[in-house]
Amino acid sequence: MIRPTTVRDESLPGAVTIYEVGPRDGLQNEKAVVPVEVKAEFIGRLVAAGLPVVEATSFVHPRWVPQLADAAELVARLPLDGPTPLPVLVPNERGLDRALAAGVRHVAIFASATETFARKNLNSTLDDQLAMFEPVVARARAAGLDVRAYVSMCFGDPWEGAVATEQVVSVGRRLLDLGASQLSLGDTIGVGTAAHVQALVRAFGEAGTHVGSLAMHFHDTYGQALANAYAALQVGVTTFDASAGGLGGCPYAESATGNLATEDLVWMLDGLGIEHGVDLPSLVATSVWMAEILAKEPASAVVRALR
């Protein structure tokens, strides 16, 4: 398999963590419902390829995301006590109840940086969403679970337009103050650009948030995801959400297309000499396999080049 020439830039981090979201954020936006046994195999293949974290599913009400209605059945098939974290998304206390009953060890909550998306995605206001999450995080932490927090619409909102940096920082800081161990900043509709990414990361730093607490979640709607990831590396970010084959989008934001493809990120990291632990040939084979099941062309440029 062809590989990029490595040219190490010592100003960039030496290692990163890739937070694989394909089984959840990827498959939730597919029109077809993937059988539970296929989902379990998909997760197993991703773990075998070396992904250090694989987000498995979401305990959201099946009426809202029918593609993930089998969450409990899927989690029952997974090695939750294995060395690879397999987080699940929980939208509220009911979702947490289901996650705890299933024996999960890592959960994630998802908030919005804008009023409109909070209403559309969570049927809540900007402030009320945080009040809703307070008992979720407290109970999860009390049960010994790790809690991650997502913030959507950090770079732009299809209904409100530009989103003020200070508004994103305010929401993000409040989620960290609740007890989240990591904050994933989402470019939900893919409108972010490199300097905007760096300005947001620096704004969090100026507000007292260590860069090690931040992760970046890019969508490639306008072809900027990889450039934005490189810009984030330049300001010290070391955790990146990505989706095998570039699967994904957002069912509540029609302009949002696929996530940053894991293979494209891995190719860039290999060229930069940054450690990540992922076996690219195994990952490409997995994405080709899933694309065949979904009967669609992979969004990842690296997968299309190497398959």
Side-chain angles (χ1 to χ4, degrees):
M1 177 177 282
I2 297 172
R3 303 302 283 270
T5 299
T6 297
V7 180
R8 179 78 183 114
D9 181 346
E10 296 299 334
S11 70
L12 300 178
V16 304
T17 298
I18 299 176
Y19 192 104
E20 174 62 47
V21 299
R24 195 275 302 174
D25 198 13
L27 295 184
Q28 77 173 11
N29 205 47
E30 292 299 315
K31 293 180 180 179
V33 175
V34 176
V36 66
E37 62 272 13
V38 174
K39 292 177 181 176
E41 182 174 352
F42 186 34
I43 292 167
R45 285 175 176 239
L46 292 168
V47 171
L51 272 306
V53 185
V54 180
E55 192 169 69
T57 188
S58 172
F59 281 102
V60 68
H61 195 289
R63 181 172 70 251
W64 301 118
V65 186
Q67 294 88 340
L68 303 182
D70 57 4
E73 183 182 355
L74 172 62
V75 169
R77 296 169 178 251
L78 302 178
L80 299 179
D81 294 326
T84 302
L86 301 172
V88 303
L89 215 60
V90 294
N92 48 37
E93 285 199 86
R94 175 58 185 144
L96 177 63
D97 289 340
R98 294 175 63 199
L100 290 171
V104 303
R105 297 163 53 194
H106 306 267
V107 297
I109 58 175
F110 53 98
S112 171
T114 67
E115 287 282 359
T116 305
F117 195 60
R119 185 171 66 251
K120 289 180 176 292
N121 194 31
L122 293 165
N123 193 29
S124 181
T125 67
L126 203 62
D127 288 332
D128 287 348
Q129 65 176 349
L130 297 164
M132 178 180 68
F133 288 132
E134 185 172 0
V136 175
V137 177
R139 288 181 54 207
R141 292 290 300 273
L145 275 60
D146 176 67
V147 181
R148 184 189 219 223
Y150 287 96
V151 184
S152 299
M153 303 297 174
C154 292
F155 297 88
D157 179 296
W159 300 280
E160 297 185 17
V163 180
T165 296
E166 56 268 25
Q167 184 170 314
V168 179
V169 173
S170 174
V171 172
R173 290 281 298 174
R174 291 169 71 182
L175 288 165
L176 289 170
D177 289 343
L178 289 180
S181 63
Q182 187 176 72
L183 184 69
S184 176
L185 304 175
D187 185 10
T188 313
I189 58 172
V191 296
T193 52
H196 192 174
V197 169
Q198 294 184 342
L200 182 58
V201 173
R202 291 188 178 112
F204 269 97
E206 291 165 2
T209 301
H210 189 274
V211 69
S213 298
L214 301 177
M216 305 306 298
H217 185 110
F218 296 123
H219 285 235
D220 205 34
T221 313
Y222 297 93
Q224 301 300 299
L226 204 57
N228 289 342
Y230 184 78
L233 282 168
Q234 289 180 310
V235 288
V237 175
T238 57
T239 300
F240 294 88
D241 300 357
S243 178
L247 289 171
C250 177
Y252 300 104
E254 293 183 1
S255 58
T257 55
N259 293 279
L260 168 62
T262 311
E263 294 85 356
D264 297 2
L265 178 62
V266 167
W267 181 276
M268 182 181 76
L269 294 174
D270 282 348
L272 294 169
I274 297 175
E275 296 180 9
H276 50 74
V278 179
D279 181 73
L280 183 58
S282 296
L283 181 58
V284 169
T286 295
S287 291
V288 169
W289 168 79
M290 180 52 73
E292 291 173 350
I293 289 171
L294 296 172
K296 64 185 296 183
E297 181 77 2
S300 165
V302 169
V303 172
R304 293 197 303 269
L306 295 181
R307 65 184 173 182

